[in-house]
Amino acid sequence: NRYVMGRNSIEKGNRDNWTFTPDRIAAVEAAIQRDGAEMIQIPTGGSGRDRGYPRQYYDEILLDPDYKDARGYIIPADQPDFLTATKFVNVLIKSGIFIHRATESFDVAGQSYPEGSYVVKAAQAFRPHIRSMFEPQDHPDDYAYEGGPPTPPYDAAGWTLAYQMGVEFDKVFEGFDGPFELIEGFAEHGAGAVTDADGAGFLLSHQVNDAFIAVNRLIAGGDQVNWLTSPIEVGGEVYPVGTMYVPAGDGTIERINQLANDVGLDFVGVNSEPSGRALRVQPVRIGLWDRYGGSSQSGWTRWLLEQFEFPYEVVYPQRLDAGNLIDQFDVLIFESGAVSPELDRSGNVRAQTAQPDPGSIPEEYRERLGSITSDVTIPHIRTFMNAGGTVIGIGSSASLGYHARLPIRDALVDRATGGALPMERYWAPGSVHQIRVDNSNPLAYGMPERVDVYVNRSPVFRMTPNSGARRVAWFDSRETLRSGWALGEQYHENGVTVIDADVGRGKLVLLTPLVNHRGQPHASFKLLFNGIYYGGAEAVRF
């Protein structure tokens, strides 16, 4: 039946089609209840079982033209981070999707698109997978009995990759064509442009994730990299806050040309230094937490740091417990699972993973044993921040904010009892939610005002106003879910998800969403990348 399945998918992609998702079924049920509609006999000549509600509900709601399936998706070439869009396209190609590229500019449905834009037509054998990558997952509320709590999905519920990667795309609802060529093999980013190479320096967009490859290579080559703290206008174009400025020095142009060719980055030359303030990022020594037996979250972070060429070293609890961390590291990253959100009756962190008898494992691995504890590890971490170090806590490890005595509290509590919200009222399994971002904060430079993030039973905080800690991202709505399933998402409203706090001479960055979950949510990578450099950046004036 594989051929039949593929043929049927192609046919659906070539004509008007509607996918009856649980939310549309719920809309029909709500309309029937609102109207007090009664069941009627369906004129089929059958038995009394042939009864149903009037067809108008089917025609007007389920076949609403506004909810028609897309005939295709267009990914414009002029979006801020087209390099990440190209990575997304290659993910689709790897899974058997055919992708076209526009050989010249074209118009579809009254919208103009530039040459190089990607086109994904729905009339393909793997059309269901295309929809899964572009459209939200929609799970029904499965109630065990009337009035009872819903049965949650057993695993991740939402994963729409275009959302996670921050890819901009348009849906097309009628048949279309244009000057398109099928991509053979994988999509290539092509060489970037370097303009006015003989000036004082170069501007680089902070909106492009791959710009951090440039940051790491340029710093390693001895160049200065500055994040401008106010917009700059060059050649009639305004570059936003956070734009990177690289002064021209010995060998700079060679390194920039290499980056443009290898990575596809665009550099804009300027004839004079920009005026105003900036943050000059410094070389960093990164320590990435891990544990004996391995943390999959930490493993994915290793992969991510390697992809973007960040130098790092894996650090285990015994080394943290030895202290003197500021002499070894500038940044410590604690992935979800490193620091427990739960404390025992003595106020100590509960061990996350049972530790084996040291005598039962080879000697070369014994230094990896241990857990983060309140009485030994946490004081060393606080000393590290007080001395000027940066600590980043992701997911459950955002509970480091409590240990640093930040003015925060859990937003997901029952106001009547003070305890955690029961599962019958709140449950947020792995799904895509949307947050509001203050992109004037250096921690969020290069990001749009709203970002889709991956949430999996992630902490949500309330903050005391004027506390000194800064709210960088938060839920600004009672309806935060973008793809997947959630119960009680109204409890998210005004809850804080990203915090930037000064601790002594150092910095604590709390990222409650899984900003780098399995290497997928490219849209939120910058929160980690910016956090790595932000704490040690030097304030300068040009």
Side-chain angles (χ1 to χ4, degrees), residues 200 223 247-255:
D223 289 297
D250 291 340
T252 302
I253 186 59
E254 288 80 6
R255 284 184 285 273

Side-chain angles (χ1 to χ4, degrees), residues 405-408 462-471 499-502:
R405 301 187 178 94
L406 296 187
I408 59 175
R462 304 279 183 215
M463 294 179 61
T464 303
N466 304 316
S467 62
R470 291 163 290 279
R471 179 184 72 167
I499 294 175
D500 158 26
D502 298 323

Side-chain angles (χ1 to χ4, degrees), residues 228-518:
L228 303 181
T229 58
S230 57
I232 180 175
E233 183 176 349
V234 176
E237 182 173 352
V238 176
Y239 294 83
V241 170
T243 296
M244 302 183 193
Y245 171 65
V246 183
D250 291 340
T252 302
I253 186 59
E254 288 80 6
R255 284 184 285 273
I256 281 177
N257 281 328
Q258 191 70 45
L259 283 162
N261 184 69
D262 292 351
V263 185
L265 294 166
D266 294 329
F267 294 85
V268 178
V270 291
N271 295 323
S272 59
E273 287 185 341
S275 60
R277 300 179 183 274
L279 294 174
R280 180 165 297 161
V281 298
Q282 306 296 323
V284 288
R285 300 166 298 169
I286 301 170
L288 172 61
W289 163 88
D290 206 340
R291 62 186 173 208
Y292 176 77
S295 156
S296 62
Q297 312 278 20
S298 181
W300 277 109
T301 305
R302 289 195 210 183
W303 177 86
L304 183 62
L305 295 176
E306 289 165 3
Q307 299 307 302
F308 289 88
E309 302 183 16
F310 284 90
Y312 74 93
E313 185 177 354
V314 177
V315 57
Y316 293 91
Q318 289 184 41
R319 188 169 174 187
L320 295 171
D321 290 347
N324 297 318
L325 298 173
I326 198 65
D327 294 333
Q328 306 169 64
F329 304 105
D330 302 297
V331 179
L332 292 174
I333 301 173
F334 294 91
E335 257 295 350
S336 193
V339 183
S340 172
E342 299 179 359
L343 306 178
D344 63 21
R345 292 182 180 179
S346 301
N348 295 317
V349 176
R350 291 175 177 169
Q352 292 293 290
T353 303
Q355 298 292 292
D357 178 1
S360 67
I361 63 173
E363 184 175 358
E364 61 264 33
Y365 298 119
R366 292 174 190 171
E367 64 181 13
R368 302 184 182 186
L369 293 172
S371 299
I372 292 177
T373 60
S374 295
D375 56 341
V376 177
T377 322
I378 294 296
H380 285 307
I381 293 173
R382 293 184 62 183
T383 297
F384 172 75
M385 288 187 286
N386 286 328
T390 294
V391 169
I392 301 174
I394 302 173
S396 67
S397 292
S399 60
L400 283 164
Y402 298 128
H403 295 288
R405 301 187 178 94
L406 296 187
I408 59 175
R409 55 189 173 86
D410 189 354
L412 304 176
V413 296
D414 187 322
R415 293 184 179 180
T417 66
L421 287 168
M423 185 175 172
E424 293 78 12
R425 290 166 55 191
Y426 177 82
W427 191 250
S431 295
V432 181
H433 292 251
Q434 191 168 88
I435 58 175
R436 178 72 179 270
V437 175
D438 175 9
N439 53 18
S440 67
N441 184 293
L443 195 57
Y445 277 174
M447 302 185 73
E449 290 185 352
R450 281 186 168 79
V451 176
D452 292 328
V453 294
Y454 191 80
V455 170
N456 186 15
R457 290 176 286 174
S458 303
V460 182
F461 296 123
R462 304 279 183 215
M463 294 179 61
T464 303
N466 304 316
S467 62
R470 291 163 290 279
R471 179 184 72 167
V472 181
W474 63 99
F475 294 114
D476 67 343
S477 169
R478 293 173 63 86
E479 298 180 354
T480 66
L481 184 66
R482 286 271 282 160
S483 178
W485 187 89
L487 173 66
E489 61 183 308
Q490 69 271 15
Y491 292 105
H492 286 167
E493 187 173 23
N494 297 320
V496 181
T497 60
V498 177
I499 294 175
D500 158 26
D502 298 323
V503 179
R505 291 162 47 204
K507 189 167 290 294
L508 176 59
V509 173
L510 305 182
L511 309 173
T512 71
L514 301 182
V515 297
N516 53 345
H517 180 65
R518 297 178 179 174

Side-chain angles (χ1 to χ4, degrees), residues 145-162:
Y145 55 89
E146 186 174 353
T151 302
Y154 80 97
D155 202 343
W159 51 83
T160 308
L161 195 61

Side-chain angles (χ1 to χ4, degrees), residues 123-139:
Q124 299 194 37
F126 293 158
R127 175 178 175 272
H129 184 62
I130 294 173
R131 286 184 51 79
S132 184
M133 296 292 96
F134 283 97
E135 303 288 349
Q137 281 72 59
D138 181 16
H139 287 257

